[in-house]
Amino acid sequence: MLRQFRNLQLPLLRLNNGMFLKKQKESSVVYTVGAAVLKKIAEPIAVVTPEIRQLAKEMMQAMRYFNGIGLAAPQYGKSLRLVVFDVPAERNTGTPGEAFLLPKMPLAVINPEIVMRSSNLVEGEEGCLSVPGIYAPVVRPETVVFRAQTLEGEFFEYECGGLLARCIQHELDHLDGFLFTDRLAPDVERRVRGDINRLKSAGQSCNYRRFK
C-alpha cells in the first residue's frame, strides 16, 4: 500500500514515466498486476528461518524504495504469508492495536489474520505498489481485530483502526490473491478498467515486474 495518496480524481495511467524499467542489476523489485503470483493463495510459514528473515529485510527495503507503508510477500514474488508494515505513527486514532504496533514500525509479521471486522464501513482512497498509477476509493470495515506473529516469535491480537486497519486489510488481501482493484464499486471499476488493462499490457514486456 502506498504512503501518499492523490485526491479522488482517478487519474489516467501514464505508461511512459519509468514505471517499468529494465535494469541489468536489480536493486529492488515489485510484481505488478497481471503476475500469476498475485492471484495465488499464499502458503503459511511454519518456521522463521534465516531465509525468511532475509526475505523480510529485502521486502522492507523494497517498501522504502517504492514509498510504501505495507508490502506482502506475493508482491515481492514469494507466495508466503509474510507482510511488512511501516504505517506512520502520527496516524494513530487511539485503538489498542495502534498503540501497540505503531511504535514498533517498521514491522514484519508472519501468518497474519483478521479474526473480526467491525460492521461500520468507511471509504478511503487507496493505491498499491503492484498497481502503479491507479488510485481509487475503497469501502472497508473501520476497525479489525488483527492476529499475527512477529519474527521474534511474539504472538499478538489487537483491535486496530485508522490507516493501520486499512493497510492491514489491503495487505492481507494480497495473501489471498486479491488486489484493491478487486474491491472497487462497479462504477469506479469501470472508470479505471482501461488503465488496468493498459498496465497489464505494459507489464508483459518485463514479466510484470517494476524495478528501482
Side-chain angles (χ1 to χ4, degrees):
M1 188 166 174
L2 285 170
R3 182 173 298 275
Q4 296 177 339
F5 310 111
R6 300 181 182 181
N7 56 20
L8 298 183
Q9 298 297 315
L10 301 181
L12 289 177
L13 176 65
R14 295 182 180 178
L15 298 178
N16 62 348
N17 60 357
M19 227 170 251
F20 299 102
L21 289 178
K22 294 184 179 180
K23 294 186 177 181
Q24 296 299 317
K25 183 178 180 181
E26 301 174 21
S27 57
S28 200
V29 62
V30 166
Y31 282 70
T32 59
V33 59
V37 69
L38 295 179
K39 302 306 293 180
K40 294 180 179 179
I41 296 178
E43 296 291 329
I45 295 173
V47 180
V48 177
T49 63
E51 290 78 14
I52 293 296
R53 293 183 184 277
Q54 179 61 29
L55 174 60
K57 181 179 179 180
E58 293 175 7
M59 287 171 56
M60 285 188 178
Q61 175 178 282
M63 177 175 61
R64 288 194 298 268
Y65 280 177
F66 288 99
N67 199 30
I69 60 171
L71 188 72
Q75 295 178 274
Y76 198 69
K78 305 295 183 183
S79 189
L80 295 169
R81 302 191 83 80
L82 168 65
V83 177
V84 297
F85 296 100
D86 193 16
V87 178
E90 61 269 20
R91 301 296 294 270
N92 189 340
T93 65
T95 60
E98 291 168 284
F100 178 75
L101 294 172
L102 292 181
K104 298 179 183 294
M105 300 290 169
L107 176 69
V109 299
I110 63 169
N111 305 325
E113 57 182 320
I114 294 171
V115 298
M116 189 177 298
R117 294 172 169 83
S118 69
S119 58
N120 190 35
L121 303 179
V122 292
E123 182 180 273
E125 186 186 48
E126 295 186 20
C128 182
L129 302 183
S130 292
V131 193
I134 295 179
Y135 304 82
V138 182
V139 176
R140 296 190 188 270
E142 184 174 24
T143 63
V144 297
V145 177
F146 182 49
R147 177 190 295 160
Q149 180 183 357
T150 68
L151 299 188
E152 290 69 41
E154 180 183 11
F155 289 89
F156 62 84
E157 181 178 318
Y158 286 100
E159 180 187 23
C160 301
L163 181 60
L164 177 60
R166 181 165 295 274
C167 188
I168 287 168
Q169 294 173 82
H170 180 111
E171 299 306 333
L172 268 61
D173 268 353
H174 282 298
L175 303 184
D176 292 324
F178 294 98
L179 299 173
F180 86 97
T181 49
D182 297 317
R183 304 297 191 193
L184 301 180
D187 61 321
V188 178
E189 190 278 332
R190 285 192 296 270
R191 291 169 63 185
V192 300
R193 186 182 301 163
D195 290 344
I196 294 171
N197 289 337
R198 285 190 287 274
L199 183 56
K200 289 179 179 179
S201 297
Q204 290 178 356
S205 63
C206 53
N207 296 318
Y208 303 104
R209 295 173 297 168
R210 54 190 297 225
F211 306 124
K212 204 160 189 177

